[in-house]
Amino acid sequence: MSELDMDFLLGAEDDEGRGRRSRGSGRRGSRRRRRRRNRGGFIAPLLAVIILVGILGGGGYFGYQWLSGALVPDDFTGQGEGEVIIEIKDGQIAAEVAAELERQGVVASARAFTNALESAGKSSQLQPGQYTMRKRMSAAAAVARLDSTNRMVSRVTLKEGLRLSDTLAKLAEETGKPAKEFQTAARNVRALGLPRYAGNKLEGYAFPSTYDVQPKTTPADLLTSMVDRFHETADKVGLEDGAKKLGYTPGQIVIIASIIQAEAGRHEDMPKIARVIYNRLNREPAMKLEMDSTVMYALNKYGTAATHEELKTPSKYNTYMWPGLPPGPIANPGEHALEAALKPARGPWLYFVATDPNSNVTKFATTEAERQALLAEYRKNGG
């Protein structure tokens, strides 16, 4: 090997070569340093990108897990077990019901229930009431069980013309609650929301209708609902304005309606019976009402044909003895009777007789002779 080749391999340089390289070494050294820096500058961002991708990947995974939990909320399976009573209160929205179901362990999550409710198209169909549910039910099963047909209720129907004493007895019988509780609640008239013209008695204002009674419904709650229904009906028929036009108080109209309800056998006869009552009240000279139904009320009996002995009772409800209206209603009138009292038929009648007890047909008369003829027909038909 030549000396030159050895020098090249060993890196030996002659003075001249060193001189030449020394003149150009600044530029070449700078380029080498830039290449080293460039290689380092490329690796650092690459490492940063790798780390960022790792972070994003891990975050994406955990984010996906969180999002999946939010979009697919916890839910039980099956029909559940045990028993729990859930009450949906009037005015509650679905979200509030869902939260209560989750709190009591009926469903795994409120979101699962609201999702199932929306899927079933029942978001606005939850009905107030009490329902028997199970613990750990699937949300879909809970929605199905909260159907209004599954409410825990008993239904009580009170017919028109029923007196308060019999109304309270009927309520106790149908609900299984003590009769004394209903009687006590009926005496606390201030708590029931009676209208100002009702005085201090519930008679006449326990409106006859059909009522749903839930397990938690108290006697006071139920009687209050009946008074509320009276208010609704009174507004519907225009009781206060109508009474004013007739020259009577609303309370007097309720008394008249209660007599109509007790005396009438058919709805279509009510306006004529109302006219007879007004004709007697407004007659000159004064004429007593002479309604058998008021006498029977005083004696705590039913019927519209008092005996001569019964007509001797000194009660203020004896309209054969005392002029004008009795001191209060004798029954709880329905809507038809209230309307008849406010809109009596036109006519001169002073008398009416239920000529056929079997068909409840009532006929009307103006004179005493016509009345006697109707009484004869009544007796002929077995009256």
Side-chain angles (χ1 to χ4, degrees):
M1 178 179 294
S2 67
E3 186 178 0
L4 179 60
D5 292 335
M6 182 62 70
D7 288 342
F8 174 78
L9 291 174
L10 295 175
E13 297 177 338
D14 59 15
D15 292 339
E16 182 180 358
R18 284 194 298 269
R20 287 196 299 270
R21 280 192 293 272
S22 65
R23 288 193 298 270
S25 63
R27 290 191 298 273
R28 287 196 296 272
S30 176
R31 283 196 297 272
R32 283 195 296 270
R33 285 192 297 272
R34 282 199 298 272
R35 283 196 297 271
R36 285 194 296 269
R37 284 198 299 271
N38 287 342
R39 285 195 296 269
F42 172 75
I43 292 172
L46 180 60
L47 289 174
V49 169
I50 293 172
I51 293 171
L52 181 59
V53 169
I55 293 173
L56 292 177
Y61 172 77
F62 290 111
Y64 171 78
Q65 294 297 319
W66 175 86
L67 189 59
S68 296
L71 294 178
V72 184
D74 292 339
D75 196 3
F76 297 131
T77 59
Q79 296 297 317
E81 57 192 16
E83 186 174 292
V84 59
I85 304 300
I86 294 293
E87 181 178 8
I88 298 178
K89 298 178 181 179
D90 191 24
Q92 272 193 315
I93 61 175
E96 293 171 331
V97 175
E100 179 65 13
L101 291 173
E102 180 181 349
R103 188 185 70 81
Q104 295 207 35
V106 175
V107 297
S109 65
R111 173 59 62 184
F113 177 78
T114 55
N115 286 350
L117 199 63
E118 291 173 4
S119 297
K122 295 183 177 181
S123 296
S124 60
Q125 295 179 18
L126 293 178
Q127 297 296 316
Q130 291 181 316
Y131 299 81
T132 302
M133 309 293 286
R134 294 178 179 274
K135 295 278 190 178
R136 302 178 66 82
M137 302 178 71
S138 71
V143 170
R145 189 172 279 266
L146 285 176
D147 188 274
S148 60
T149 58
N150 294 327
R151 284 185 297 176
M152 297 174 60
V153 295
S154 57
R155 182 159 287 185
V156 181
T157 299
L158 302 168
K159 67 179 182 179
E160 298 173 340
L162 203 63
R163 293 175 186 169
L164 181 62
S165 58
D166 295 318
T167 297
L168 300 180
K170 176 76 169 177
L171 291 173
E173 177 186 352
E174 294 291 334
T175 64
K177 300 180 185 297
K180 288 185 178 179
E181 292 186 11
F182 283 101
Q183 294 164 0
T184 300
R187 287 193 292 269
N188 189 14
V189 292
R190 288 187 178 181
L192 301 179
L194 285 173
R196 63 185 184 282
Y197 49 79
N200 60 354
K201 291 184 178 180
L202 181 58
E203 186 78 86
Y205 300 92
F207 194 77
S209 186
T210 298
Y211 296 90
D212 288 338
V213 185
Q214 300 179 28
K216 291 184 179 180
T217 302
T218 66
D221 292 335
L222 186 51
L223 294 180
T224 300
S225 296
M226 298 173 73
V227 174
D228 290 343
R229 190 73 62 86
F230 171 84
H231 281 291
E232 293 172 6
T233 306
D235 290 341
K236 179 181 177 181
V237 301
L239 176 59
E240 295 196 31
D241 290 341
K244 186 176 182 180
K245 290 178 181 178
L246 290 170
Y248 291 85
T249 67
Q252 289 174 321
I253 295 297
V254 175
I255 294 173
I256 293 170
S258 73
I259 297 173
I260 295 170
Q261 188 73 71
E263 293 280 352
R266 303 180 304 176
H267 290 159
E268 55 263 40
D269 295 327
M270 288 183 172
K272 285 187 175 183
I273 294 175
R275 175 50 62 193
V276 170
I277 293 173
Y278 286 119
N279 285 346
R280 290 186 182 185
L281 290 173
N282 299 329
R283 187 175 173 80
E284 293 292 343
M287 181 179 180
K288 293 185 179 71
L289 279 182
E290 297 184 349
M291 296 287 168
D292 293 64
S293 58
T294 65
V295 177
M296 302 304 276
Y297 179 81
L299 298 171
N300 196 28
K301 297 179 180 180
Y302 279 99
T304 55
T307 65
H308 290 293
E309 191 64 29
E310 290 169 338
L311 294 178
K312 295 177 182 178
T313 178
S315 170
K316 291 290 185 179
Y317 283 89
N318 185 353
T319 53
Y320 279 85
M321 183 176 292
W322 302 96
L325 291 169
I330 64 171
N332 294 297
E335 183 176 338
H336 291 290
L338 288 168
E339 286 183 329
L342 291 170
K343 298 176 181 179
R346 294 181 178 273
W349 314 290
L350 290 172
Y351 309 98
F352 60 88
V353 178
T355 56
D356 187 351
N358 296 320
S359 64
N360 292 323
V361 171
T362 299
K363 293 185 179 181
F364 298 82
T366 302
T367 67
E368 178 63 24
E370 291 173 345
R371 173 175 175 267
Q372 290 300 324
L374 294 179
L375 288 171
E377 185 178 347
Y378 165 72
R379 287 188 290 268
K380 182 180 177 181
N381 290 326

